[in-house]
Amino acid sequence: GQQLNQSPQSMFIQEGEDVSMNCTSSSIFNTWLWYKQDPGEGPVLLIALYKAGELTSNGRLTAQFGITRKDSFLNISASIPSDVGIYFCAGRYNTNAGKSTFGDGTTLTVKP
Amino acid sequence: KAGVTQTPRYLIKTRGQQVTLSCSPISGHRSVSWYQQTPGQGLQFLFEYFSETQRNKGNFPGRFSGRQFSNSRSEMNVSTLELGDSALYLCASSSLTGGQTEAFFGQGTRLTVV
């Protein structure tokens, strides 16, 4: 089945620093989604990508859909304490179906 | 527009019992997917329902089942609960129209099996 490798597993950064995380897949996806999850809550959608090469921003967040359709990255610029949480990537092959394959998450800690 | 609503938020059950969890999707969304989230296994896909039909199924035993009603609300049921079923169960709703396939999650139901 499809496998998603998300890295790094965790990051400890200073407030104001930029952050980069990525996901790679063993097979292609037609949609990439990035989520943030706070403790005890459901994941919140940050960015959705639908085309290979697409670069999309949401405030300080920027994500790209890799050209090979097997990878995606998420950048956070000028991190702030509320960026703390777990970030998940998710891929979908069939755009008409609700099934997503998730990475294992990147736990972000921001030191003030 | 109201988000995805899952009830109950927390549940404690005993081994061997069965449990039913409920999910109300965003108004107009016809796809509902269920995921199990555990610290060791991450987010694992359980199944997806669209227009009252199960379209996709993950690798979970038959003790896990679900259904969807005509108003798109969905329930999942776990029978003969095991300790390992303790997890956060998440429901996601998608529109799946116009090529927009974002999935929006509810807050989840935290199930503890003792």
Side-chain angles (χ1 to χ4, degrees):
Chain A
Q2 294 163 328
Q3 300 282 334
L4 271 188
N5 293 312
Q6 185 171 350
S7 65
Q9 188 174 7
S10 60
M11 301 184 76
F12 295 83
I13 62 168
Q14 205 70 38
E15 183 177 358
E17 289 183 352
D18 296 344
V19 171
S20 185
M21 58 192 78
N22 69 83
C23 275
T24 58
S25 170
S26 57
S27 52
I28 62 173
F29 285 115
N30 290 319
T31 301
W32 282 97
L33 305 167
W34 283 92
Y35 292 87
K36 177 176 183 270
Q37 186 175 27
D38 293 325
E41 301 294 327
V44 174
L45 181 66
L46 299 173
I47 292 179
L49 302 159
Y50 296 105
K51 293 181 184 178
E54 179 181 354
L55 185 71
T56 297
S57 292
N58 177 8
R60 294 178 296 106
L61 278 60
T62 301
Q64 184 158 30
F65 192 142
I67 291 290
T68 65
R69 292 162 65 196
K70 290 185 178 181
D71 62 330
S72 177
F73 73 75
L74 174 71
N75 284 345
I76 306 173
S77 63
S79 59
I80 59 178
S82 62
D83 289 335
V84 164
I86 303 177
Y87 292 80
F88 290 97
C89 63
R92 282 183 168 177
Y93 177 72
N94 186 342
T95 56
N96 288 322
K99 176 182 178 181
S100 297
T101 300
F102 279 79
D104 289 337
T106 296
T107 301
L108 179 64
T109 302
V110 180
K111 292 177 282 187
Chain B
K1 204 179 216 184
V4 180
T5 304
Q6 290 188 246
T7 56
R9 286 292 310 276
Y10 303 94
L11 208 48
I12 299 176
K13 288 286 189 177
T14 305
R15 268 185 305 175
Q17 285 187 313
Q18 66 120 22
V19 68
T20 300
L21 312 181
S22 178
C23 172
S24 292
I26 292 171
S27 177
H29 285 194
R30 294 164 64 190
S31 168
V32 174
S33 300
W34 289 89
Y35 294 82
Q36 181 195 65
Q37 186 176 30
T38 57
Q41 297 294 320
L43 275 146
Q44 302 291 313
F45 174 77
L46 280 156
F47 28 66
E48 182 217 0
Y49 286 86
F50 184 86
S51 293
E52 302 178 65
T53 301
Q54 186 183 89
R55 291 206 302 190
N56 287 289
K57 191 175 189 304
N59 294 325
F60 279 82
R63 299 184 298 106
F64 292 81
S65 63
R67 60 177 175 168
Q68 187 179 33
F69 302 94
S70 59
N71 61 358
S72 294
R73 189 177 72 84
S74 177
E75 290 181 346
M76 69 162 279
N77 185 78
V78 188
S79 61
T80 320
L81 283 165
E82 301 176 0
L83 295 179
D85 296 333
S86 294
L88 181 67
Y89 289 88
L90 292 161
C91 160
S93 115
S94 302
S95 171
L96 300 185
T97 58
Q100 302 300 308
T101 62
E102 301 99 331
F104 297 91
F105 283 88
Q107 291 181 298
T109 294
R110 171 73 63 185
L111 172 65
T112 302
V113 182
V114 297

